[in-house]
Amino acid sequence: MLTQRQIFLQHIAQTSDFPLALEIEQAEGIYLYGTNGRKYIDLISGIGVSNVGHRHPNVVNAIKDQVDKYMHLMVYGEYVQTPQVALAAALVESLVPSADLETSVQKPLDNVYFTNSGTEAVEGAMKLAKRFTGRQEIISCFNAYHGATQGALSLSGSENFKRNFRPLLPQITQIRHGNFEDISLISEKTAAVIIEVIAGEAGVRVPDKNYFRALRKQCDLTGTLLIIDEIQTGFGRTGTFWAFEQFGFYPDVLLCAKGMGGGMPIGAFIANQTVMSVFKDNPILGHITTFGGHPVSCAASLATFKTIFSENLLEAVEEKAKLFRDLLIHPKIKEIRNQGLMMAVEFEDFGELKPIIDDAIEQGVITDWFLFCDNSMRIAPPLVISKEEIRFACEVILRAIDQKKG
């Protein structure tokens, strides 16, 4: 009889030669529980997903309540479904622009298109920008990551990830994230700029506070849509509900996913009704999805949304981030970059970092590295993590560093 691990390795498609292969039978809060009785602190939230922790009671109850009513009914946008309507209304309310934000010539974001994932949100936004502007060029950033499908991969900032899948989409131009000089490359030929507020897979790179104001002005000048990818940063990760709030500007299109679902698969791209309406004709049904906006996922997302505010999770983000920074002091740590609880702890190289990650996991703390910055440790715990749990996790990481030879 094959073991679970053997079946996993033989029949689950593998994407690397060294999967973590942890066998987890339960998860709750910040903890994962293995079949071997081991308990792990999930210091990466399943890669930015479990912002309110694993199996938060509010999310679980919302899922159960919705399952008792209905699940899939019809392809996206045809039936009025309460979970979709309530979630869309909450998201729109969170996006009312304040007076201090640099807004565009477009109207405020008030129209939500639900998808199954962040990658699908990216794909939908790309189509939307081309259809609305009638242009073909899209600008993204070097060392950016927006997903792995053909269109989203075309935006990726790493040739190493794209090389063996070419040809990809034409007319993709790349600029340096946070570089003021490159803003001039945005022209009347550009349909959209798609950019992360914080460059995540590049290793948590935080731009100058004035960068996005300058980017916003250039997009307005050229009639270019500014698409902001908050797939990792949204739903409180950086200390405000949306990261763009901290940088004094307002997007034309907003992308979200990951932490949005409380553990359920969901994403969205959000624009104003005028922009989004181009999907209604020429052709009709210009963008469609079968499972996007699944009622169970929407119910879970609304519960996640409400929990972030009812439990005041945003207020403690910066204090918890500071505690990590204060505790993670070691000669081998070259730098710590963060925006809220989205953190990168830099080491000399991947050869030094990987054994530290492996040893920390052996001691019960799960961390990771970044796709385009493999010398930096990813720390992005559930927002519900306590100070005591932070102290324990940091002790384990420091111990793992000390146990690394050399």
Side-chain angles (χ1 to χ4, degrees), residues 10-74:
Q10 289 187 24
H11 300 307
I12 299 295
Q14 301 295 303
T15 57
S16 80
D17 289 324
F18 47 91
L20 291 176
L22 299 177
E23 295 186 52
I24 305 300
E25 63 178 6
Q26 188 176 353
E28 188 168 358
I30 71 162
Y31 295 102
L32 306 179
Y33 298 89
T35 54
N36 56 3
R38 295 287 301 279
K39 181 170 75 170
Y40 304 91
I41 290 179
D42 183 4
L43 217 56
I44 54 176
S45 303
I47 310 296
V49 170
S50 302
N51 285 10
V52 297
H54 295 277
R55 294 181 62 250
H56 192 289
N58 295 347
V59 176
V60 172
N61 289 335
I63 291 169
K64 290 179 177 178
D65 288 346
Q66 184 56 44
V67 167
D68 284 340
K69 296 172 182 175
Y70 58 84
M71 292 186 283
H72 176 75
L73 298 178
M74 177 59 164

Side-chain angles (χ1 to χ4, degrees), residues 15 18 26 133 235 339 353 371 382:
T15 57
F18 47 91
Q26 188 176 353
T133 64
F235 274 65
Q339 193 75 10
L353 173 61
L371 284 178

